[in-house]
Amino acid sequence: MSARRLLIAGAAATIGGLLWAERKRPLRKRTEPLLPRTATNLLLGASCALVIRAVEKPLVDRVVAANSKDVRGVMRLLPRQLRLVGGLLAMDYAYYWWHVATHKVPFLWRFHRVHHLDRDLDSSTAIRFHGLDMLVSLPFRLAQTRLVGADRATHDAWQNFFFGSVLVHHSNLALPEGWDRNLSRVLTTPKMHGIHHSTVLSEQDSNWTSGFSLWDRLHGTFRGDVPQGAITIGVEDARAPADHDTARLLEAPFRALPARTDAPRSR
Ligand SMILES: [Zn+2]
């Protein structure tokens, strides 16, 4: 079996295993009917896949090809033996800051808000982004890849790690006792990311990482102190209840941005 086929088979097995596991051991109670919500998330995910394939991948691949020809960026500063690991860490760290920006810069929040409007959190939320969000994030993706200098092996390693991590930490999976806490010393876990998807702003403003938890620990943004049963998943603003409709969701980034309110605890 070729490496590519092995990777696809591994990804399919991971997704299938996750879907089965989050039904067997749910971390949080569902609030929405599963099917319409999953259909919306799949539709949005398909729009992202289209933009990534048509626009992002060809452009990022050009930068990766140039990085593979000459050692560039951060990777140039590293000894040869440390380039793969150092490059992967640098790609992950850059994404930490991008995620902070998508919440703090109003123009970027217009698009990222679509991801956070989901009132449940499970593996389908991992692909729930506005298709145009992929265009909006393109300058960052190009700068990230160029400044880190990620060559083909480093970029592929980061992308596989990133997608695996995003899928798992969005899942509604209750890991066995103690696993989540222990894993969160190094990686992003479902409990960590559940706190980031809280309607309470002070909780949403935490656990920004998409990969290694080191960055949140380093910047004091790590939180593990909110029980999942106390979290209301979603966004608290005046238009959020109406924006759950799929059609409104697609045009939501183009309407006036509603002021965000800090939600009181509802449970
Ligand atoms: Zn976010």
Side-chain angles (χ1 to χ4, degrees), residues 99 103 112 116 196:
H99 190 191
H103 281 253
H112 192 57
H116 274 269
H196 174 67

Side-chain angles (χ1 to χ4, degrees), residues 99 102-103 109 112 115-116 193 196-197 204 208:
H99 190 191
T102 60
H103 281 253
W109 172 245
H112 192 57
H115 173 65
H116 274 269
H193 207 66
H196 174 67
H197 273 260
Q204 208 175 88
W208 302 105

